[in-house]
Amino acid sequence: MNISIIQPAHELKSIIKNFLVIESLESFETFWILPTAGNFIFFNLGLDAFLHDYEIDQTSFSLPKDIAVSIKSNNIIRLGVQKGHNITFPILAVELLPTACNRLFSESTVDLNCVYQPFSQCLKEKDVSFDDLYKYKSVDEQIRYIETGFFKLKELASPMDDACENIEGIIEYICETIRRINVTDILEEFNYSRSSLERDFRRIIGYTPKELIQIMRFGMICKDVIMNGYDYMQLEYDFFDQSHMNKALRKFIDVPPSKLQAYVQENNIEVYQANE
């Protein structure tokens, strides 16, 4: 698969992590997207496409033939395309940061755990449109056009509430301490009650704190093992032993960490996060 990852304008880095440009689907069946706490917005040119789990061939979620905000998934996913479909390239996607949907639209993100949401629904009552995107011919022009729309959305957004600001601080803390962090550490560090913390997390990013830690930890371990090989003693994550780590990672993938690098290499798998 021919893909490019492009950084957003500096002013948008609080809401956008990356632009993903897919220019070919020659090897799309071996292209993995590891679970992420954020969302992808697919700027779809009527593509008859779907997402499915990494080892299951049937459709898990169909992509709307329009611009859509992706489901928050705990699974490794692959992009699939119906055979014989005439594809127009490039396919553009925007990876949003975990709090971006709440920041831009002041809405709960819980619904994004089960259904793709048309972007037009998010844009209701906002004087912002992306309808002219494909009037621009080059990728650079298309990305600048998308960024202009997000600049407007950022200007129109309500001021970030205290809970969202707190959650962003907690996410930063989790990133810094991911090898050893647990929910109790967060409660003590940020003087939160467990019920309030879980309520705010579900509303703002769509996950519980425990789920977020598990997703982020899996992503880091998976990327580390794929790129550098498996050495349990070098991973330095807070597991009782190798069996404990294998059990934790089995929630996401059935391939044990000790065999993951070989599995990826033997199957010519390309991992989106390994290209960042």
Side-chain angles (χ1 to χ4, degrees):
M1 179 179 289
N2 189 1
I3 67 168
S4 301
I5 297 173
I6 299 174
Q7 294 291 307
H10 177 76
E11 298 85 350
L12 293 175
K13 287 188 175 182
S14 61
I15 54 176
I16 296 177
K17 183 174 183 180
N18 290 315
F19 286 95
L20 174 62
V21 183
I22 301 173
E23 298 170 348
S24 165
L25 288 180
E26 293 177 0
S27 57
F28 67 87
E29 291 184 348
T30 56
F31 179 64
W32 281 6
I33 300 176
L34 302 180
T36 171
N39 303 84
F40 286 87
I41 298 180
F42 288 93
F43 290 86
N44 190 1
L45 278 172
L47 180 66
D48 194 3
F50 54 87
L51 297 177
H52 49 79
D53 295 346
Y54 77 98
E55 60 179 3
I56 301 175
D57 287 333
Q58 69 263 30
T59 299
S60 296
F61 304 107
S62 293
L63 288 176
K65 293 185 179 181
D66 196 354
I67 303 172
V69 184
S70 73
I71 291 168
K72 286 178 177 277
S73 174
N74 292 355
N75 301 319
I76 296 172
I77 56 175
R78 294 187 287 143
L79 176 66
V81 180
Q82 299 293 354
K83 293 182 179 179
H85 188 79
N86 186 23
I87 303 170
T88 303
F89 293 102
I91 301 169
L92 298 179
V94 175
E95 182 183 3
L96 299 180
L97 291 169
T99 61
C101 279
N102 183 267
R103 287 186 62 161
L104 292 175
F105 310 115
S106 301
E107 294 182 358
S108 172
T109 58
V110 173
D111 290 344
L112 287 171
N113 285 355
C114 57
V115 64
Y116 270 77
Q117 183 167 306
F119 201 32
S120 57
Q121 184 174 330
C122 297
L123 298 176
K124 60 187 178 183
E125 300 179 1
K126 295 183 182 291
D127 186 23
V128 179
S129 170
F130 294 88
D131 293 344
D132 292 335
L133 173 62
Y134 290 105
K135 291 181 180 178
Y136 297 92
K137 300 303 181 183
S138 74
V139 170
D140 285 344
E141 289 176 321
Q142 291 170 356
I143 289 177
R144 298 294 83 77
Y145 176 80
I146 293 172
E147 287 187 328
T148 298
F150 274 94
F151 279 126
K152 292 180 181 178
L153 287 173
K154 192 175 178 181
E155 290 174 0
L156 293 169
S158 302
M160 184 168 57
D161 63 28
D162 291 342
C164 187
E165 188 172 356
N166 290 339
I167 296 304
E168 290 194 349
I170 292 171
I171 292 173
E172 184 176 349
Y173 176 70
I174 292 172
C175 290
E176 293 171 352
T177 59
I178 189 63
R179 296 178 185 273
R180 303 288 177 182
I181 187 72
N182 59 47
V183 177
T184 301
D185 295 330
I186 297 172
L187 299 177
E188 294 175 352
E189 180 72 19
F190 291 88
N191 195 28
Y192 250 104
S193 70
R194 188 175 293 270
S195 59
S196 295
L197 184 68
E198 294 206 357
R199 182 190 64 239
D200 288 346
F201 258 73
R202 284 187 178 278
R203 176 176 65 85
I204 293 168
I205 65 171
Y207 293 110
T208 66
K210 183 178 180 179
E211 289 171 336
L212 178 66
I213 291 170
Q214 290 173 339
I215 289 169
M216 293 177 67
R217 186 172 286 162
F218 168 72
M220 290 188 67
I221 293 175
C222 191
K223 181 177 177 179
D224 192 7
V225 170
I226 288 171
M227 297 181 69
N228 303 312
Y230 176 75
D231 185 340
Y232 175 75
M233 298 305 295
Q234 294 296 320
L235 289 176
E236 297 182 351
Y237 286 87
D238 191 17
F239 296 104
F240 296 121
D241 51 32
Q242 293 187 57
S243 177
H244 180 213
M245 183 177 73
N246 290 348
K247 182 178 180 181
L249 300 190
R250 202 174 297 128
K251 296 177 181 178
F252 301 95
I253 186 171
D254 289 334
V255 182
S258 59
K259 298 180 180 179
L260 181 57
Q261 186 183 54
Y263 180 88
V264 167
Q265 292 174 347
E266 290 168 5
N267 291 279
N268 297 314
I269 292 166
E270 184 173 4
V271 179
Y272 162 63
Q273 283 86 348
N275 287 277
E276 294 180 300

